[in-house]
Amino acid sequence: MPLYHELAVSGLRHILTRHEQAAAHAAEGYARATGKPGVCIATSGPGATNLVTGIANAYMDSIPIVAITGQVGVAMIGRDSFQEADITGITMPITKANYLVKNIRDLAATIHEAFYVATTGRPGPVLIDIPKDVTTQRAAFQYPPKLRLPGYRSRVEPHVLQVAQAAAAIQAAARPLLFVGGGVITSGAHEEVRQLAEEQDIPVVISMMGKGAFPENHPLFVGMVGMHGTVAANYAVCETDLIIGVGVRFDDRVTGKIEAFAPQAKIIHIDIDAAEIGKVVPAHIPIVADARQALQAILAKLPERKEHPEWRQRIWRWQEENPLRYDECGLKPQYVIEELYRLTEGRAIISTDVGQHQMWAVQYYPVERPRSFLSSCGLGTMGFGVPAAMGAAVARPGETVVAITGDGSFQMNIQELATLRHYNIPVKIILLNNGYLGMVRQWQEFFFERRYAYSELGGNPDFVKVAEAYRLPARRVASREEVVPALQEALETEGPFLVEFLIDREENVFPMVPPGGTLNKMVTGGRQQ
């Protein structure tokens, strides 16, 4: 309360969310949409612990946020005081660093250090815990111009010998493949990726975090790789002789069966975090460096032009023979997203929750620019989409921001409709309602004998009436013919708007690599490739 007493007259913009988890996700949305650190604040005890999921989410996806929490007075710490929780201990595994500030004289320097650590090297969340009595103390303001952090080093420049090896491998490859992830967006290396792809005629696949790192309307774009990646992208990984992995973790949803991942390929792995090199798949040429600086160094070593016409034609044939497809009977979520893309001309900032709708958004809303697709990729947090969209809309006023969610995820943070209304944050909510925890139901259909154990969401509310209770305009769509008029109304209405689509209840996400399977064995539309 002493801090908030001053915050009210500080001139800083403050958004009061209705749940602390939403505050953390909104800070993430701000950071993802801008590249700048997002900030969230919560009180001690349950307020602080409610931030934990959002902090863990930011940690998994390497998003810079600074979380500030209140704490009981210094003398009361460790006595199980009212609303006391050891939040620095709780968050130690899911933050880059955290601090318990016990003296006001340390506060300014701690804040400086927190923002520096959150935004340098591999970005991530940092927490500052401030006891109540520290917020009432006074001290001369001293903000150190420079920081000395022994033991905290981040290598950003690539090693010249590894750069030379990478350049030689690229020149020697017959079937090279660029695999780009979130590190490319964080580094601002998307132009270098495009230059390398175009000059060396290298097809490009992405991780979900890499959506936006390479324009999806480019002829060299192949698709997302992994469990719900495109057939062409997965085949390309299986047939390539060189993977140039830039800012990617090679996580399990990408690799499938690790022993069978890219069986013919040598791997160049570029990452600013040395701990990621070789963690999942072996790297033949490891480069620990900032992605942009590494790519610039490699480009300087390569000839201006090289072509791989046979490899490119092979991939184009896979794309032509195996496009994304769906049955157009009834109200399909894929159609809704395709029409959203058409009406927004692909220029919207898309935020998703987690589940089937997330995968449909990845597949059917192509992205052409970085920081325009926000999703919980590593942790897979339901409830992320709407608050992250709030943060993005606050960060980038004047741009169209759309939250694509499902009826399960939406109810995880449904109370944030009040925040949207209170501040008139113009987020358009596309609610794809199938009455299930859809991805759970899909797995139960394929791998658990269609026994839909506790995945049906009986008791769902009337979402239009809920939105109207929060004084948000809303409408329900039950037929294909209503889709375009409803989307147009939402996009043309000032402020927030919710459109609920009653989609086919048992529509599935395809392609799909079965768990533990290999990338060249996919289920597509009910049949296996």
Side-chain angles (χ1 to χ4, degrees):
M1 289 182 69
L3 189 151
Y4 264 74
H5 185 67
E6 300 300 328
L7 191 60
V9 293
S10 67
L12 295 172
R13 186 177 184 187
H14 179 277
I15 305 291
L16 179 65
T17 62
R18 294 334 189 234
H19 192 285
E20 293 90 350
Q21 181 185 343
H25 291 323
E28 280 189 83
Y30 181 98
R32 290 172 190 255
T34 64
K36 301 176 183 179
V39 180
C40 55
I41 186 168
T43 191
S44 62
T49 57
N50 279 345
L51 292 177
V52 168
T53 297
I55 292 171
N57 198 73
Y59 186 75
M60 287 287 282
D61 287 351
S62 304
I63 305 301
I65 67 171
V66 175
I68 300 171
T69 54
Q71 185 55 274
V72 300
V74 172
M76 302 302 293
I77 293 174
R79 298 186 180 185
D80 293 334
S81 303
F82 177 67
Q83 290 199 331
E84 179 189 0
D86 178 12
I87 195 63
T88 53
I90 291 168
T91 60
M92 188 176 294
I94 55 169
T95 52
K96 281 189 74 177
N98 60 31
Y99 308 87
L100 173 60
V101 182
K102 294 184 177 181
N103 192 307
I104 188 65
R105 290 189 296 271
D106 300 326
L107 184 57
T110 300
I111 291 173
H112 189 183
E113 183 174 322
F115 277 87
Y116 178 79
V117 171
T119 56
T120 54
R122 180 179 181 172
V126 174
L127 181 137
I128 308 171
D129 197 25
I130 309 176
K132 179 183 176 182
D133 50 344
V134 173
T135 66
T136 63
Q137 296 169 0
R138 302 181 71 88
F141 180 75
Q142 292 182 330
Y143 199 73
K146 290 186 178 181
L147 288 173
R148 291 184 68 256
L149 300 177
Y152 180 76
R153 295 182 180 86
S154 179
R155 184 180 181 89
V156 295
E157 296 178 0
H159 194 284
V160 291
L161 293 179
Q162 292 166 321
V163 167
Q165 289 175 5
I170 292 170
Q171 290 184 68
R175 302 183 305 279
L177 188 67
L178 263 163
F179 176 30
V180 299
V184 169
I185 295 171
T186 299
S187 175
H190 48 282
E191 288 300 330
E192 284 75 12
V193 166
R194 184 204 291 257
Q195 183 182 348
L196 179 59
E198 290 177 347
E199 290 183 359
Q200 301 301 311
D201 195 26
I202 303 176
V204 180
V205 298
I206 60 169
S207 68
M208 195 184 341
M209 281 293 295
K211 194 170 171 69
F214 191 80
E216 296 181 40
N217 60 354
H218 196 287
L220 287 170
F221 180 76
V222 185
M224 185 179 77
V225 67
M227 179 172 283
H228 293 294
T230 64
V231 171
N234 285 349
Y235 279 0
V237 168
C238 294
E239 297 296 324
T240 180
D241 63 356
L242 177 69
I243 288 181
I244 308 155
V246 189
V248 290
R249 296 190 294 115
F250 293 97
D251 72 272
D252 57 293
R253 289 300 174 100
V254 162
T255 62
K257 187 178 181 181
I258 294 173
E259 297 80 7
F261 178 76
Q264 305 177 46
K266 179 182 285 188
I267 295 177
I268 300 169
H269 192 178
I270 301 170
D271 202 288
I272 200 165
D273 185 357
E276 290 298 338
I277 305 292
K279 186 172 78 174
V280 178
V281 297
H284 301 87
I285 303 174
I287 301 179
V288 179
D290 171 76
R292 188 177 187 187
Q293 293 196 32
L295 290 176
Q296 288 173 343
I298 291 170
L299 284 164
K301 293 282 186 182
L302 290 169
E304 287 190 7
R305 287 282 167 198
K306 188 175 181 181
E307 294 190 354
H308 305 92
E310 293 182 5
W311 175 229
R312 189 172 5 96
Q313 289 295 332
R314 192 173 176 185
I315 289 175
W316 286 349
R317 186 170 65 253
W318 288 331
Q319 290 177 306
E320 185 177 328
E321 293 173 354
N322 302 280
L324 292 170
R325 57 168 69 93
Y326 60 93
D327 182 352
E328 296 186 7
C329 295
L331 180 51
K332 300 296 185 180
Q334 301 95 325
Y335 174 71
V336 173
I337 295 170
E338 284 181 327
E339 288 304 304
L340 175 67
Y341 175 80
R342 184 180 65 82
L343 291 171
T344 59
E345 299 178 340
R347 302 296 295 174
I349 298 171
I350 302 296
S351 176
T352 80
D353 264 302
V354 170
Q356 288 180 312
H357 65 272
Q358 178 187 32
M359 296 299 116
W360 289 319
V362 170
Q363 293 175 338
Y364 291 93
Y365 198 99
V367 169
E368 299 172 17
R369 54 186 180 144
R371 303 197 179 280
S372 56
F373 190 89
L374 322 177
S375 197
S376 172
C377 301
L379 197 63
T381 303
M382 296 173 68
F384 168 87
V386 170
M390 293 193 312
V394 168
R396 290 165 62 174
E399 297 201 42
T400 300
V401 179
V402 179
I404 299 176
T405 186
D407 47 319
S409 287
F410 183 49
Q411 293 182 84
M412 297 287 183
N413 269 313
I414 196 170
Q415 75 286 335
E416 296 312 312
L417 293 177
T419 311
L420 291 174
R421 179 71 285 163
H422 182 188
Y423 298 97
N424 199 35
I425 301 172
V427 171
K428 315 303 180 183
I429 301 172
I430 305 302
L431 172 56
L432 302 177
N433 183 355
N434 60 9
Y436 282 104
L437 297 172
M439 191 60 82
V440 177
R441 187 211 56 77
Q442 179 169 335
W443 277 52
Q444 289 171 330
E445 176 183 342
F446 279 87
F447 310 119
F448 294 91
E449 304 172 339
R450 298 179 68 93
R451 185 180 298 162
Y452 298 155
Y454 314 112
S455 57
E456 186 170 9
L457 295 174
N460 269 351
D462 183 323
F463 290 109
V464 170
K465 288 184 177 179
V466 170
E468 290 172 347
Y470 280 105
R471 301 188 303 282
L472 262 72
R475 66 181 286 180
R476 181 177 294 113
V477 172
S479 69
R480 185 183 177 95
E481 294 71 29
E482 299 173 82
V483 169
V484 171
L487 289 174
Q488 287 174 328
E489 181 182 0
L491 294 169
E492 292 168 4
T493 300
E494 291 188 11
F497 198 105
L498 181 142
V499 187
E500 177 189 14
F501 295 90
L502 302 179
I503 63 170
D504 187 330
R505 296 199 70 198
E506 295 197 8
E507 184 68 11
N508 288 320
V509 178
F510 296 116
M512 181 182 184
V513 178
T518 58
L519 295 184
N520 61 349
K521 301 294 183 183
M522 289 162 278
V523 178
T524 59
R527 66 186 188 280
Q528 185 161 312
Q529 288 289 114

